[in-house]
Amino acid sequence: MTSRIGVVTFPGTLDDRDSLRAVRIAGAEPVSLWHRDKDLKQVDAVVLAGGFSYGDYLRAGAISRFSPVMETVIEQAKAGLPVLGICNGFQILTESHLLPGAMLRNNHLHFICRDQKLRVETTDTAWTADYEAGQEISVPLKNIDGRYVADERTLDELEAEGRVAFRYLDGNPNGSLRDIAGVTNAAGNVVGLMPHPEHAVEPLIGTGRTDGLGFFTSILKKLVSA
């Protein structure tokens, strides 16, 4: 049976179709999910795609956190459902308290769009198992509220527990503390990151590389072996 991976669309989501395409390229069945629908249509995993949901009013992701679909996502994520939050999706995950920390305006106060080198810090998650610890990858980055912050105690806990998923290399693009580009929850089923792996899954788009495809093949292998 083909694994089904849902991609949520909120008002202002921009990268849902790219995420659905990435799911399809990896070999899973992409399923479109609407923010006002609590039904996840029996998907095996969920992607919260990038964009500017609700125009990033109040704070990025703050309104989307209260969308009906998130009630189900939060409940099922706590029960083990794999969830990947990309850019705005990462912001929604922090607002939902499925991941620690918060996302603030870039320290230079400008929107940034560029190819970004990352180091994979852990493969012990549902979304990173196809990489190697320490592997360097390059995927597009585009945000204005991308600065990851948390108190020192939380940062120390993330470091000690191996929950920093990715770090920025070759320069910190937004002032994120400790160069953190992505984190995971303790169980490893929920991962959030600011860069966009869905834009680096085939040679003709994005970076011209396929460094982001591993996110989607990782979850597929995880679901098949479950």
Side-chain angles (χ1 to χ4, degrees):
M1 181 179 296
T2 303
S3 297
R4 292 162 49 85
I5 300 179
V7 177
V8 179
T9 299
F10 300 91
T13 297
L14 300 178
D15 300 304
D16 43 349
R17 291 188 179 183
D18 301 79
S19 296
L20 289 165
R21 181 176 178 83
V23 168
R24 185 181 300 109
I25 290 172
E29 178 185 349
V31 180
S32 295
L33 301 175
W34 184 236
H35 72 114
R36 292 184 61 85
D37 191 353
K38 291 184 179 181
D39 182 9
L40 297 186
K41 301 181 181 179
Q42 297 181 314
V43 297
D44 303 298
V46 167
V47 175
L48 303 179
F52 300 90
S53 61
Y54 290 96
D56 279 351
Y57 291 114
L58 300 183
R59 291 182 309 277
I63 300 176
S64 296
R65 177 260 179 273
F66 294 101
S67 288
V69 73
M70 287 306 299
E71 180 179 333
T72 311
V73 170
I74 292 169
E75 177 185 352
Q76 294 198 19
K78 290 179 179 179
L81 178 74
V83 178
L84 175 65
I86 302 171
C87 195
N88 188 236
F90 187 13
Q91 296 159 344
I92 295 169
L93 289 177
T94 60
E95 290 288 339
S96 303
H97 304 297
L98 288 174
L99 291 175
M103 310 304 302
L104 300 182
R105 185 63 50 96
N106 295 344
N107 60 343
H108 45 72
L109 303 182
H110 295 290
F111 182 85
I112 186 170
C113 182
R114 74 183 198 191
D115 292 345
Q116 178 65 49
K117 185 178 287 187
L118 305 174
R119 182 172 64 237
V120 180
E121 299 285 48
T122 180
T123 60
D124 295 330
T125 82
W127 300 93
T128 60
D130 249 7
Y131 295 105
E132 296 181 3
Q135 182 176 347
E136 297 181 5
I137 62 175
S138 180
V139 297
L141 173 76
K142 50 177 186 176
N143 63 70
I144 193 169
D145 295 297
R147 177 160 57 107
Y148 181 77
V149 298
D151 61 75
E152 286 297 310
R153 178 178 178 181
T154 298
L155 292 171
D156 288 343
E157 288 179 352
L158 290 172
E159 302 274 14
E161 296 172 6
R163 292 172 54 196
V164 175
F166 303 92
R167 288 188 211 273
Y168 295 114
L169 295 179
D170 294 349
N172 187 322
N174 46 35
S176 291
L177 297 180
R178 303 194 190 183
D179 298 329
I180 293 174
V183 299
T184 177
N185 68 342
N189 63 303
V190 179
V191 171
L193 80 161
M194 285 310 297
H196 288 260
E198 78 280 12
H199 293 329
V201 296
E202 53 186 342
L204 294 179
I205 62 171
T207 60
R209 301 167 55 165
T210 59
D211 290 7
L213 188 59
F215 284 82
F216 304 97
T217 56
S218 291
I219 187 59
L220 185 56
K221 291 181 179 178
K222 171 72 174 179
L223 293 173
V224 169
S225 62

